[in-house]
Amino acid sequence: MQRRSLLTLVLSVAFATPFAHAQNDKVLRLSTTTSTENSGLLAYLLPSFEARTGMKVNVISVGTGKALELGKNGDVDVTLVHARALEDKFVAEGWGIDRRDVMYNDFIVVGPVADPAKLKGERDVIAAFKKIAAGNVKFISRGDNSGTDVMEKGYWQSAGAKPAGTNYVSAGLGMGEVLNMAAEIGAYTLTDRATYGAYKAKTGLAIAVEGDKRMFNPYGIIAVNPQKHKGINYKGAKQLIEWMTSAEGQAKIAAFRPAGEQLFFPSAK
């Protein structure tokens, strides 16, 4: 009985392994930020890529820090994120290759329509953060090492202060959830414009600060280095990178206009 069980195990491994590799070629694992998922962009883009290649793209939507960590661990094949310093570090350490610019949007500060910090019309994000810190108002931070979180922390550092005590809430959540929280407690938050657009009607939050060049938000796509992990679908990752940065992919990004407003702007070179 033991010999028979051993033979069965050997045969199952022998036949299962090639099948697993064959499946891997048809499945592409993508880690990305909550903004590309919450905005509806990926649901709009990926069916065209899947139809062209016959691959299924499995999306894991998290903050940029976690998205890159999944790449380091070999849990995904390609990553689409927005924190250039973290992206460059990921590539410099050998975890990622073939990084390409894909698109950009911008960050905005949103908050209650009543605007208790009197930010409306402010175009200097650092001045706005100083007003928030000085006023008795609440601010909700992503607190998740996402690209948005990294940018926000830099603004507070430049401002030289941040809200005291319970006025500053570190949520550790995705952008959509943070927008919902801000609406519930009447707080300000930093968000990408695309996710705000998807949640605007639900939350009723208003744009308080926009237009500062320091709120520019570029996105990059990076293949996980196949030399770091066996089983990485590098071929599929390259196909997605090439398609996202092709004339077809860039035109699709520009054409994504929920409610008639363009949320992402193509930037591939």
Side-chain angles (χ1 to χ4, degrees), residues 71-72 93-96 224-230 232:
K72 286 183 181 182
E93 292 176 350
W95 300 109
V224 174
N225 189 346
Q227 295 183 358
K228 291 287 188 178
H229 300 283
K230 293 181 180 179
I232 291 295

Side-chain angles (χ1 to χ4, degrees), residues 24-195:
N24 188 51
D25 292 338
K26 294 297 181 183
V27 175
L28 184 65
R29 303 166 301 167
L30 168 68
S31 64
T32 188
T33 66
T34 57
S35 58
T36 58
E37 180 77 359
N38 290 343
S39 65
L41 177 68
L42 291 183
Y44 171 80
L45 288 180
L46 292 180
S48 297
F49 173 76
E50 292 175 332
R52 175 176 286 275
T53 62
M55 268 187 290
K56 170 64 178 174
V57 182
N58 291 337
V59 177
I60 303 174
S61 174
V62 289
T64 287
K66 180 61 176 175
L68 292 173
E69 196 65 32
L70 289 168
K72 286 183 181 182
N73 295 338
D75 294 324
V76 295
D77 308 299
V78 61
T79 186
L80 174 63
V81 292
H82 62 106
R84 189 56 192 263
L86 296 182
E87 294 168 47
D88 289 344
K89 185 171 184 286
F90 182 74
V91 172
E93 292 176 350
W95 300 109
I97 55 177
D98 304 326
R99 187 204 172 277
R100 295 283 303 277
D101 291 329
V102 176
M103 59 192 181
Y104 67 89
N105 64 5
D106 64 338
F107 290 112
I108 53 180
V109 176
V110 300
V113 173
D115 191 23
K118 301 295 185 287
L119 302 182
K120 188 66 177 176
E122 178 66 72
R123 296 182 65 86
D124 184 326
V125 66
I126 306 306
F129 269 51
K130 287 180 179 178
K131 288 182 181 179
I132 293 172
N136 185 26
V137 296
K138 292 187 179 297
F139 186 96
I140 299 183
S141 169
R142 286 276 298 269
D144 62 351
N145 198 34
S146 61
T148 307
D149 186 52
V150 170
M151 189 68 77
E152 178 221 313
K153 297 299 191 291
Y155 294 153
W156 290 126
Q157 185 173 8
S158 296
K162 68 180 184 181
T166 58
N167 278 340
Y168 185 84
V169 180
S170 183
L173 296 171
M175 195 70 255
E177 295 165 299
V178 167
L179 286 169
N180 285 334
M181 285 182 64
E184 288 173 9
I185 66 173
Y188 292 94
T189 192
L190 181 73
T191 177
D192 64 282
R193 190 183 295 272
T195 307

Side-chain angles (χ1 to χ4, degrees), residues 198-215:
Y199 281 75
K200 180 180 178 181
K202 184 190 303 185
T203 63
L205 295 169
I207 296 176
V209 184
E210 62 182 335
D212 192 322
K213 291 181 179 179
R214 288 168 290 191
M215 300 172 86

